[in-house]
Amino acid sequence: MKKINLDQGWEYTEATGFAALFNPHAWQPVTLPHDAMISKPRHPDNPAGSHGGYFPGGAVSYRRKLFAPEEWRGQSVQLEFEGVYMNAEVTVNKQLVQRQPYGYSSFIVDIAPYLVYGQENVIGVIANNTAQPNCRWYTGTGIYRHVWLRTGGQIHIRPWGVFVTTPVVDPAASAVHVATELANVSSLARATLRSTVLDAAGNVVARVETPAAAPTVQQTLLVRDARLWSVDEPYLYTLHSEALVDGAVVDAESTTFGIRAIEVDAERGFRLNGAPLKLKGGCIHHDHGPLGAASYDRAEERKAALLKSAGYNAIRTAHNPPAPALLDACDRLGMLVIDESFDAWTSGKVTNDYHLYFQEWWQADLAAMIRRDRNHPSIIMWSIGNEIFEALGDPVAAELSARQADFVRALDPTRFVTSGLMFNFLEDIERGDASGSFKIKPVAEDPQQDSWGLQTRGFVAPLDVVGYNYMVQRYAVDQTRFPGRVIAGTETWGHRMYSFWKETERLPHVIGDFVWTALDYIGEAGFGAVSFDGQVGFGAPYPYHLYGCGDFDICGFKRPQSYYRDLLWGERTAPFIAVHDPQHYGKTPTFTPWAWEPVIDNWTYPGWEGKPTQVDVYAADDEVELFVNGVSAGRKPAGAASENRVSFDVIYEPGVIEAVGYTGGRETGRFRLATTGRPAALRVEADRAEIATGCGDLAYVTVALVDQDGRAVNRHDLAVTVEVTGAGELLAIGTGDPLSEEPYVGAQRTTFQGRLLAVVRSAAEPGAITVNVRADGLPPASIALHAR
């Protein structure tokens, strides 16, 4: 079908009743994607509470005119919504056409019967997110993903109706099987389906044409000299599908796919194209930090690219279907994906979550996810749920798990089915771990006393891979207790990543590790909070509105724990220095195991000269030595002997602090920090100089405070104003400060650890863009971009 983007030309209002109907001034123009929630003020009394980052809910109405030409009469006309949060109602000319409760599902709306042809029609959408809380994290409100118009003839390829598989994967010659669903084909006996495979350069490498004698046409094509898709070489082919009647093309569809094979078993683990591969994974939520939930293609791509740059090869889309643009990016970049459906089934986790809709909607929502996403080579597993309460002893658990697993395999038998299970929080917790607030009890030696193993046996039986959330203590035990079970660490604690990863490396039946979380996010406020008074941050009070931990903060800035992970995964060889603030010396920080020590790569603490502080050095070497202004503070065992983390107590003095790593007695790498001066200038850098027009492309602009020598100053913060002129606009401005009460929409923001992020969107027309930045007491700065 012809597919046209409909992101332009919308209006929206948050007014209701007569105000929305009769007051034209209540409506404002808007270009999608749009998150109405992110611009609203946070407040401690908002009913979503810490779950939603103290943002308010609300209802938003959208409308858009759509001219329906006469030639559409009798044809197929459909709208595709990638995501509306939530309880969407779609109308055409004020007639209700379709409802969609689940805010993370894409859905197709047939509008042909409701159109007036030869005239303007009004498409209306209501997103109702008033019932709070309805999720355990920040959701956003509105049409936060793309909208598409699909038009086609009487006979057409159904939306999401092309399914490509590769039953034979061989570089010499690979078989590509295509199942294509055609609408109304039975009435036209002269219809055929032509399928053509193109390589990345656009060359035809295979073609077949088959009579369309059934609603689903099955075809097999042979691709010789095939290039396989992998995490290192993510080669993509394009399938061009054409429906023909009497030799004339009446409809066409293009599908990107990769030729690759996946296998898994407990003896040899996960294999991609026959090669063993451990999954270096991260869990991510759908928001984009300062942008809120608004799903721009570049924002989705940047997420995947950040993780790829840090050594990740896998993503878990926690805990809902992702934006198609994220999967497209994973296909291009070589990132494997666990595509997840639900966070709740029949038992809710918050008052108004998906459990209210599960029984009626799970089949439709699960089918939408799989049919939409099943051609992505990046996807290796379908997850039917996260930490489902029913798994712990509910008698309906086994039946629901089996029904969903069977349903998934009926739609896609080529991928593995999984679900992330958590320990029993009431039975398995052992209190008193000062560094992480709690730890998990050992597994009962007697299998008959192993309540978790007994309770979950029926639930996990239909799964190909069993997801273990935070249960490293079970990895080795369950190898013998449940022979043949394949395990993925679907959530693991960041602060204990060394032990989780080493067990994952050691055990073949444990195929990967997915840290919670790879990227910080809005909501579930305070799990990463650090306290020096013994309090732990489960649901931190306002104004703490971020989760507060993750390898990257909400702006995509790399945190110390990411450098630690670099060493663990072999992405880095030089040591890394993480300094504790001298004001906390001698105090014991308390934090959850999701969090990290309050450290920073900084050696500038004016007023603390001559006072002690703790310096952590991350090093995979045999030994590491720390120097303060050239004087050794000691040489200590590192690497496995210290889990890649060594601490030194030193006296702070301005100058240079340097860590030197040694392996086999020889120096292997150095890392140094130097004391910086006061802010003297603003440094402005963009992730790219050119952005595309017409599609809402983005540039990410980092503004940093620097001293007179151009060195980053991360212990001083200033209010910064950002202005964008020319063929672009300022969309959002933010920092990783979890306690900031400043809005993400506006022109001014106070830096956090000496920097902030501004997000610039291109206009519809090409031209020059200038980003101007200023702060009191510093010379103004700017950067030139171009929309092309």
Side-chain angles (χ1 to χ4, degrees):
M1 300 180 74
K2 188 176 182 180
K3 187 175 177 180
I4 301 171
N5 182 267
L6 281 192
D7 288 348
Q8 305 278 345
W10 292 84
E11 296 179 306
Y12 83 102
T13 183
E14 296 179 60
T16 58
F18 287 104
L21 290 172
F22 300 111
N23 180 7
H25 301 294
W27 293 85
Q28 304 175 56
V30 65
T31 298
L32 306 179
H34 177 236
D35 176 8
M37 182 184 284
I38 194 65
S39 61
K40 295 180 177 299
R42 300 183 294 277
H43 192 276
D45 294 334
N46 282 331
S50 62
H51 292 296
Y54 299 100
F55 278 88
V60 186
S61 297
Y62 297 85
R63 66 186 185 189
R64 187 195 194 280
K65 292 181 180 179
L66 179 67
F67 181 77
E70 283 290 344
E71 54 263 34
W72 283 3
R73 191 185 297 274
Q75 305 297 301
S76 173
V77 186
Q78 299 173 323
L79 296 176
E80 178 180 345
F81 292 88
E82 290 187 0
V84 181
Y85 203 91
M86 59 176 291
N87 287 315
E89 295 183 0
V90 180
T91 62
V92 176
N93 301 323
K94 299 183 181 179
Q95 295 184 74
L96 179 64
V97 180
Q98 190 164 319
R99 292 187 174 93
Q100 173 61 45
Y102 193 34
Y104 296 114
S105 278
S106 295
F107 58 102
I108 305 291
V109 182
D110 181 8
I111 62 173
Y114 303 89
L115 293 172
V116 179
Y117 296 96
Q119 297 183 28
E120 293 276 12
N121 295 263
V122 178
I123 308 299
V125 179
I126 296 175
N128 189 343
N129 193 16
T130 55
Q132 297 283 336
N134 55 55
C135 195
R136 295 188 298 121
W137 54 88
Y138 176 89
T139 62
T141 299
I143 309 177
Y144 68 102
R145 294 177 181 165
H146 297 305
V147 178
W148 303 90
L149 173 68
R150 288 177 168 268
T151 59
Q154 184 182 18
I155 180 172
H156 60 269
I157 300 168
R158 294 188 184 277
W160 310 335
V162 178
F163 183 26
V164 185
T165 57
T166 53
V168 178
V169 175
D170 188 324
S174 293
V176 176
H177 183 266
V178 183
T180 307
E181 299 173 14
L182 297 174
N184 303 313
V185 68
S186 59
S187 63
L188 296 167
R190 298 181 305 277
T192 61
L193 178 71
R194 183 164 62 211
S195 295
T196 305
V197 175
L198 308 173
D199 65 15
N203 301 310
V204 175
V205 296
R207 174 174 285 159
V208 65
E209 187 168 341
T210 305
T216 299
V217 180
Q218 308 285 346
Q219 298 172 312
T220 299
L221 301 92
L222 190 67
V223 177
R224 300 188 184 278
D225 299 319
R227 296 184 60 178
L228 307 190
W229 187 95
S230 69
V231 295
D232 296 320
E233 295 184 26
Y235 192 87
L236 295 171
Y237 289 90
T238 300
L239 174 72
H240 189 55
S241 306
E242 297 170 295
L244 300 92
V245 176
D246 291 332
V249 176
V250 296
D251 197 21
E253 188 91 16
S254 289
T255 304
T256 302
F257 72 98
I259 297 174
R260 59 103 177 100
I262 56 174
E263 302 167 276
V264 72
D265 57 53
E267 291 71 37
R268 293 173 293 170
F270 173 77
R271 281 102 63 206
L272 178 62
N273 302 326
L277 182 68
K278 291 290 186 179
L279 304 180
K280 299 177 178 178
C283 299
I284 59 173
H285 272 314
H286 73 296
D287 76 276
H288 297 284
L291 290 171
S295 177
Y296 293 89
D297 290 3
R298 173 56 187 158
E300 302 289 352
E301 180 183 58
R302 182 174 182 257
K303 257 185 185 177
L306 283 172
L307 298 186
K308 186 77 173 182
S309 72
Y312 286 85
N313 63 22
I315 286 172
R316 176 176 176 237
T317 66
H319 302 294
N320 48 261
L326 176 69
L327 300 175
D328 291 340
C330 290
D331 291 345
R332 293 191 302 269
L333 296 172
M335 292 288 279
L336 302 172
V337 176
I338 299 177
D339 199 345
E340 192 155 76
S341 56
F342 312 125
D343 190 48
W345 292 356
T346 59
S347 296
K349 295 176 181 175
V350 294
T351 308
N352 299 295
D353 69 10
Y354 189 70
H355 81 280
L356 299 177
Y357 311 103
F358 176 82
Q359 292 285 24
E360 180 181 356
W361 283 90
W362 73 262
Q363 289 186 330
D365 289 326
L366 200 52
M369 180 182 83
I370 294 166
R371 286 174 54 82
R372 187 198 71 175
D373 295 348
R374 60 188 174 178
N375 292 315
H376 290 280
S378 56
I379 297 175
I380 58 172
M381 280 186 260
W382 303 112
S383 172
I384 57 175
N386 170 67
E387 296 174 359
I388 299 302
F389 285 172
E390 292 90 330
L392 297 175
D394 191 318
V396 305
E399 178 192 354
L400 287 175
S401 179
R403 287 180 64 194
Q404 290 182 77
D406 290 344
F407 186 83
V408 169
R409 293 187 183 102
L411 292 170
D412 177 16
T414 71
R415 292 176 175 88
F416 312 124
V417 179
T418 188
S419 181
L421 284 80
M422 195 176 186
F423 54 83
N424 190 319
F425 213 90
L426 298 178
E427 297 181 12
D428 297 337
I429 294 296
E430 189 172 284
R431 300 286 175 178
D433 181 4
S435 68
S437 84
F438 64 83
K439 58 185 177 182
I440 307 299
K441 295 177 181 178
V443 182
E445 293 185 9
D446 181 357
Q448 297 307 312
Q449 300 300 315
D450 178 9
S451 61
W452 185 90
L454 295 171
Q455 289 172 346
T456 60
R457 187 184 293 270
F459 183 93
V460 305
L463 306 178
D464 302 301
V465 177
V466 184
Y468 279 33
N469 289 8
Y470 314 110
M471 294 188 290
V472 68
Q473 82 284 1
R474 298 197 67 100
Y475 287 1
V477 172
D478 286 355
Q479 185 177 20
T480 55
R481 190 158 292 179
F482 303 104
R485 176 174 293 184
V486 179
I487 294 171
T490 38
E491 288 183 26
T492 61
W493 281 311
H495 195 258
R496 302 176 189 174
M497 70 173 80
Y498 187 92
S499 60
F500 276 92
W501 181 248
K502 289 302 179 182
E503 281 293 89
T504 301
E505 278 190 315
R506 185 177 71 87
L507 300 169
H509 70 290
V510 181
I511 64 172
D513 177 279
F514 290 77
V515 67
W516 193 276
T517 173
L519 297 162
D520 202 357
Y521 56 93
I522 304 172
E524 285 194 291
F527 273 67
V530 177
S531 170
F532 291 93
D533 60 8
Q535 300 299 311
V536 180
F538 288 99
Y542 181 87
Y544 207 114
H545 64 288
L546 305 180
Y547 192 77
C549 57
D551 284 18
F552 293 86
D553 72 9
I554 63 164
C555 296
F557 299 144
K558 195 174 173 85
R559 285 180 166 144
Q561 53 263 54
S562 185
Y563 293 100
Y564 181 90
R565 188 179 302 279
D566 288 345
L567 289 159
L568 184 61
W569 284 350
E571 300 292 323
R572 177 188 180 92
T573 56
F576 181 82
I577 298 174
V579 183
H580 294 251
D581 195 316
Q583 67 175 310
H584 299 310
Y585 182 77
K587 302 175 184 177
T588 300
T590 303
F591 50 90
T592 72
W594 290 272
W596 200 257
E597 290 89 356
V599 292
I600 188 172
D601 52 339
N602 171 71
W603 193 241
T604 304
Y605 296 94
W608 292 92
E609 294 81 0
K611 299 292 175 46
T613 192
Q614 179 180 322
V615 175
D616 293 343
V617 179
Y618 309 152
D621 300 287
D622 294 343
E623 295 178 296
V624 67
E625 189 170 12
L626 186 68
F627 295 88
V628 179
N629 292 328
V631 178
S632 176
R635 182 164 168 168
K636 297 184 178 182
S642 63
E643 296 192 351
N644 290 358
R645 188 194 314 245
V646 181
S647 295
F648 296 85
D649 289 338
V650 301
I651 301 299
Y652 171 68
E653 55 183 70
V656 175
I657 185 171
E658 187 169 31
V660 181
Y662 305 93
T663 295
R666 301 182 62 180
E667 180 182 324
T668 55
R670 291 173 174 250
F671 181 79
R672 69 197 300 266
L673 296 173
T675 303
T676 58
R678 293 185 61 81
L682 295 163
R683 183 170 63 209
V684 187
E685 298 175 311
D687 63 337
R688 49 194 182 149
E690 290 193 343
I691 53 179
T693 60
C695 61
D697 201 6
L698 306 179
Y700 284 82
V701 179
T702 300
V703 181
L705 308 179
V706 297
D707 67 6
Q708 67 278 5
D709 297 320
R711 299 173 300 182
V713 178
N714 55 15
R715 285 286 294 176
H716 197 106
D717 290 305
L718 294 173
V720 174
T721 300
V722 179
E723 179 188 36
V724 177
T725 62
E729 63 175 320
L730 179 64
L731 269 189
I733 186 169
T735 71
D737 184 0
L739 294 169
S740 173
E741 296 185 74
E742 296 171 289
Y744 291 102
V745 178
Q748 189 177 77
R749 185 85 183 206
T750 302
T751 60
F752 178 64
Q753 296 179 348
R755 59 189 174 184
L756 59 79
L757 181 74
V759 186
V760 177
R761 179 172 66 178
S762 62
E765 300 298 327
I769 303 171
T770 303
V771 181
N772 299 298
V773 180
R774 64 181 187 274
D776 288 347
L778 301 182
S782 65
I783 191 170
L785 308 174
H786 191 79
R788 54 173 172 76

